[in-house]
Amino acid sequence: MHGPGSAAWLLVALCAATGAYCLLRMRSGVEEQRRTAGGEALMGFGMALMALPAAVITPPRAAWALYAVVFGAAALRALWASRSSAHHLHHLVGTFAMAYMAVGMAAAPSGHAGHGGAGAPLVTGPLLLYFAGYVLWSGARLVPVATAGGDPPASGWGDRPELARACRLSMGIGMVAMLLTM
């Protein structure tokens, strides 16, 4: 995921900010929102770590293997949770993509990618299409729509659906950027 320096730092900042807001969302009074926010915080911070420029840190192969195990376990959890909610299927795809990228980074000859060739095109291509479509779909959902009665006021930062959608959109954009460097 190590691309050009300034782009990598922007991706790190975007993903870290998203992860931090997801931690705030974990203070919600709704259990399902807290659980979802926790998974999204893991994704945000994991993406920020994976996007760090190679000039700053080049993790050893064991670190990439650890990332693969963590996100593989998160993928299994999302698979289990998808029995009750279709939204968890998106988490399943995201965590699978993170595990896939970590395996690709561990398998890269120098221990880090960034010049292409670290991933399998038959896997990277469909993931890119999925996340590009997701970015377009979630971006369209952020467009304000006039309502007859107005939206009820949100009770706190953790319960703002438009901010949660914006976080998901930013993570989708980050995922596209990271997959493009595979």
Side-chain angles (χ1 to χ4, degrees):
M1 289 14 79
H2 302 293
S6 60
W9 281 115
L10 287 172
L11 185 58
V12 169
L14 175 74
C15 294
T18 299
Y21 176 70
C22 289
L23 286 178
L24 285 174
R25 285 182 36 227
M26 289 181 68
R27 296 175 48 191
S28 171
V30 180
E31 182 181 346
E32 181 62 26
Q33 287 180 9
R34 285 192 309 267
R35 189 174 308 127
T36 298
E40 290 171 354
L42 173 69
M43 290 290 290
F45 289 126
M47 289 171 67
L49 283 173
M50 289 177 83
L52 281 171
V56 174
I57 185 170
T58 302
R61 288 189 194 276
W64 295 117
L66 178 64
Y67 291 162
V69 168
V70 167
F71 287 105
L76 289 174
R77 184 181 180 281
L79 179 63
W80 182 260
S82 68
R83 296 175 307 121
S84 62
S85 172
H87 174 71
H88 292 287
L89 290 174
H90 171 69
H91 288 171
L92 174 62
V93 174
T95 52
F96 169 77
M98 291 291 286
Y100 163 72
M101 288 187 286
V103 168
M105 297 293 276
S110 63
H112 70 277
H115 304 289
L122 291 175
V123 178
T124 306
L127 286 172
L128 267 170
L129 287 174
Y130 173 81
F131 283 105
Y134 181 79
V135 164
L136 293 172
W137 176 76
S138 61
R141 290 183 61 203
L142 283 175
V143 175
V145 178
T147 58
D151 290 333
S155 60
W157 284 100
D159 295 318
R160 306 271 314 256
E162 70 280 3
L163 291 177
R165 285 188 202 116
C167 281
R168 291 180 190 121
L169 172 64
S170 65
M171 283 195 290
I173 292 169
M175 195 67 81
V176 168
M178 290 171 76
L179 285 165
L180 283 173
T181 63
M182 289 291 294

